[in-house]
């Protein structure tokens, strides 16, 4: 069976973009068609200044929302990255295969480093090397596919390059993964800045619909969404990004096509009202299930514990094989301080 891996970073409250672009696909398609692993990649949240308590709180919330979105622990593996030591073990080996130039060419590193410097902060070394940890997240499970948004494709390409390089130098060890991109709403944009992604770490709250927003908050944000000059409702991502974003959100929520939906509207007002209604209805069952799960915290803890055990069982053989291949002495070769050659 095809193996799928994907993760979500607990750096902010999860958004409509996270749901339409990734989580819904995981719940409705990926967990049924593949041996699927879904991970809260909490180690990646440490690459910038952070509040430890907030990281823990957001990690728990993200895991709860994954289950609320429809992930079934009987069908897939849901776990927290830091609960499986093999991610960090493999990351160092891959750092010994990656190059400094590869890291500094990563687009997200350039953007995030520039943002940190503008704020007057220092850039952590982990911000430079975290794409290697991301590659380890993927390769440690022998994943065939990695469902990602367009902005993450470069990271999967790095994982592919490192897998091929390691296999060529040290013997075949890793499956070479491929990125898969959802066709519809792969990248939901900020309602106030429709040329920017609706990111959970963004500071512009009015342009972001969070999964746990109350219905009246969702409606207010959608109704205040930025639109473009001109009164005609047409679908044109390049010249009418604000309008295109609303049409794509509506299409993702209703199963329609953006261009066909555009033809049924004469003005922005009705489009915004229908989009708000559609988003509220899509999020309603998720919010209800989230409340139910929050009332039973022991269930989440059990799911994450069992998920980590299952993930660890998949990951350890691959990491042990990589350690042997790259030239490290197996621990079993040394007993009570006696060299293997002396036994």
């Amino acid at each position: 069976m095809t193996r799928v891996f994907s993760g979500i970073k607990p750096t902010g409250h999860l958004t409509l973009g996270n749901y339409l672009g990734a989580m819904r696909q995981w719940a409705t398609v990926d967990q049924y068609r593949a041996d699927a692993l879904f991970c809260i990649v909490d180690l990646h949240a440490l690459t910038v200044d952070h509040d430890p308590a907030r990281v823990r709180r957001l990690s728990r919330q993200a895991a709860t929302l994954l289950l609320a979105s429809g992930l079934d622990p009987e069908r897939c593996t849901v776990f927290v990255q830091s609960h499986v030591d093999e991610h960090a073990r493999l990351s160092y080996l891959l750092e010994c295969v990656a190059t400094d130039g590869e890291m500094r060419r990563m687009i997200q590193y350039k953007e995030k480093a520039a943002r940190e410097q503008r704020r007057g902060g220092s850039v952590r070394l982990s911000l430079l090397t975290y794409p290697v940890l991301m590659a380890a997240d993927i390769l440690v499970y022998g994943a065939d596919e990695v469902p990602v948004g367009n902005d993450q494709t470069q990271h999967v390409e790095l994982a592919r390059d490192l897998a091929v390089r390691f296999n060529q130098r040290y013997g075949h060890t890793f499956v070479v993964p491929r990125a898969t991109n959802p066709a519809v709403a792969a990248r939901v944009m900020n309602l106030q800045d429709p040329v920017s992604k609706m990111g959970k770490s963004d500071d512009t709250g009015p342009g972001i619909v969070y999964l746990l927003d109350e219905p009246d908050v969702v409606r207010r944000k959608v109704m205040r969404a930025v639109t473009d000059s001109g009164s005609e409702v047409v679908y044109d991502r390049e010249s009418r990004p604000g309008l295109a974003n609303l049409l794509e959100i509506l299409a993702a929520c209703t199963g329609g096509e953006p261009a066909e939906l555009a033809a049924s509207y004469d003005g922005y007002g009705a489009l915004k009202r229908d989009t708000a209604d559609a988003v509220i209805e899509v999020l309603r069952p998720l919010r209800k299930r989230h409340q139910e799960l929050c009332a039973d915290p022991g269930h989440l803890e059990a799911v994450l514990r069992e998920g980590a055990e299952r993930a660890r069982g998949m990951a350890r053989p691959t990491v042990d094989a990589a350690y042997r291949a790259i030239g490290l002495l197996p621990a079993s070769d040394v007993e009570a301080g006696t060299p293997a050659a002396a036994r």
Side-chain angles (χ1 to χ4, degrees), residues 7-331:
I8 202 154
K9 187 163 56 173
T11 51
H13 298 288
L14 299 186
T15 73
L16 180 67
N18 296 127
Y19 181 70
L20 295 181
M23 294 164 61
R24 186 172 63 173
Q25 170 84 9
W26 300 348
T28 60
V29 178
D30 292 333
Q31 70 172 337
Y32 294 99
R33 71 175 180 84
D35 180 11
L37 299 100
F38 302 108
C39 181
I40 309 301
V41 288
D42 54 344
L43 295 176
H44 291 291
L46 311 185
T47 60
V48 295
D49 190 32
H50 63 277
D51 174 6
R54 186 171 187 265
V55 171
R56 284 190 291 270
R57 185 170 63 253
L58 290 175
S59 296
R60 189 175 292 108
Q61 183 186 89
T64 306
L65 283 168
L66 287 183
L67 298 182
S69 72
L71 291 186
D72 181 355
E74 298 299 319
R75 291 184 174 274
C76 64
T77 303
V78 180
F79 66 105
V80 176
Q81 179 191 31
S82 63
H83 295 176
V84 181
D85 293 345
E86 280 69 23
H87 290 253
R89 288 181 63 204
L90 181 56
S91 182
Y92 180 73
L93 293 197
L94 296 180
E95 284 188 12
C96 297
V97 176
T99 67
D100 177 76
E102 284 176 313
M103 297 300 98
R104 296 187 186 279
R105 286 194 296 271
M106 301 301 287
I107 294 172
Q108 290 206 358
Y109 168 72
K110 293 179 180 179
E111 293 176 348
K112 291 181 179 180
R115 187 160 59 245
E116 285 296 313
Q117 290 167 348
R118 285 196 300 271
R119 293 172 177 171
S122 58
V123 178
R124 299 184 182 189
L125 179 61
S126 56
L127 186 61
L128 177 66
T129 60
Y130 92 90
V132 177
L133 176 57
M134 186 178 293
D137 298 338
I138 298 166
L139 299 181
V140 74
Y141 297 109
D144 302 288
E145 296 180 8
V146 188
V148 292
N150 295 328
D151 59 323
Q152 293 291 329
T153 301
Q154 187 185 33
H155 290 104
V156 181
E157 289 302 316
L158 175 68
R160 289 174 56 85
D161 292 343
L162 295 181
V164 169
R165 193 177 306 156
F166 192 103
N167 290 347
Q168 289 175 341
R169 291 180 181 176
Y170 306 114
H172 185 79
T173 306
F174 299 116
V175 172
V176 180
R178 62 183 180 276
T180 58
N181 302 115
V184 178
R187 201 174 190 200
V188 177
M189 313 306 279
N190 191 298
L191 295 174
Q192 293 297 314
D193 180 15
V195 297
S196 299
K197 187 173 104 171
M198 187 183 283
K200 59 183 178 295
S201 304
D202 204 323
D203 295 329
T204 54
I208 304 171
V209 174
Y210 296 105
L211 297 185
L212 297 180
D213 278 346
E214 294 289 341
D216 61 329
V217 175
V218 173
R219 187 176 303 282
R220 183 165 60 250
K221 288 179 177 180
V222 174
M223 294 304 294
R224 294 177 179 176
V226 168
T227 49
D228 315 287
S229 59
S231 59
E232 185 182 5
V233 179
V234 294
Y235 177 64
D236 187 333
R237 166 57 73 182
E238 295 301 319
S239 64
R240 310 285 291 278
L243 186 55
N245 190 36
L246 289 171
L247 288 166
E248 289 181 356
I249 292 172
L250 180 59
C253 290
T254 62
E257 291 293 333
E260 294 177 3
L261 289 169
S264 63
Y265 290 96
D266 296 324
Y268 297 157
L271 171 61
K272 288 183 175 182
R273 286 192 294 273
D274 286 353
T275 302
D277 289 341
V279 171
I280 290 168
E281 287 308 308
V282 161
L283 297 184
R284 190 183 304 281
L286 182 146
R287 295 179 69 251
K288 182 176 184 294
R289 180 58 179 151
H290 177 265
Q291 291 177 338
E292 295 170 351
L293 288 166
C294 286
D296 183 12
H299 176 68
L300 176 66
E301 293 171 6
V303 166
L304 296 180
R305 182 172 59 252
E306 293 167 8
E309 290 174 0
R310 195 183 311 162
R312 197 176 299 117
M314 298 181 202
R316 185 164 293 168
T318 299
V319 178
D320 288 347
Y323 269 55
R324 289 192 299 271
I326 206 169
L328 298 178
L329 187 67

